[in-house]
Amino acid sequence: ALIVLGVSLLVAIVALAFGTYGVREGRGGYAALLAYLLFLFLLTRVPEWIGFPVSLGAHDFAGFGDTPMLTGLFVLHILLVVVFLLTLVWYGTLLHAAVLINLGIVGIVVTVMIQYFSWVFALLDRSLAFIIGGLLLLVLSAALERKRRALLARLT
């Protein structure tokens, strides 16, 4: 894994230094994506470094238990995913690329749905939280769809 990471970083640094980009913000976005991928690599290694049994596998510590550091890293990861997807929508509007806008919006919806259902099962005994979360998802999906249509209408 370290060899793949090293080669990937080397190729990415060369592309960052010598690549050409369609918009002025492209180089910064590419650097941020590289930083995020490095963060993901570190996130997968932190449990091992702090002594979490490697043999359990990723699915056994998906909830991260009561370890505040791992919970914080997990929340930071989710926030970075949402920021990345919003940036994808923003680049789609800069490049007038409907595909990027659609991918970003679909990614945001999928991310929110995954997090909603993963957290709702922990709160299932509190039905009010489930109802409020469902209503929030309905409002959010309607707003995102309206925004997606408006962005695509501006492009054509």
Side-chain angles (χ1 to χ4, degrees), residues 64-112:
F64 294 116
D66 296 327
T67 309
M69 182 180 77
L70 289 177
T71 303
L73 287 173
F74 180 71
V75 170
L76 180 62
H77 164 66
I78 297 303
L79 291 175
L80 288 174
V81 166
V82 171
V83 167
F84 169 71
L85 292 169
L86 288 172
T87 304
L88 190 62
V89 172
W90 179 54
Y91 278 145
T93 58
L94 287 176
L95 297 171
H96 300 289
V99 169
L100 292 179
I101 294 171
N102 288 332
L103 282 174
I105 296 293
V106 167
I108 290 170
V109 169
V110 168
T111 301
V112 169

Side-chain angles (χ1 to χ4, degrees), residues 106-134:
V106 167
I108 290 170
V109 169
V110 168
T111 301
V112 169
M113 292 295 289
I114 288 171
Q115 291 310 308
Y116 174 73
F117 283 112
S118 68
W119 292 338
V120 81
F121 288 119
L123 303 173
L124 198 54
D125 57 337
R126 300 176 185 111
S127 60
L128 184 60
F130 188 73
I131 293 168
I132 291 172

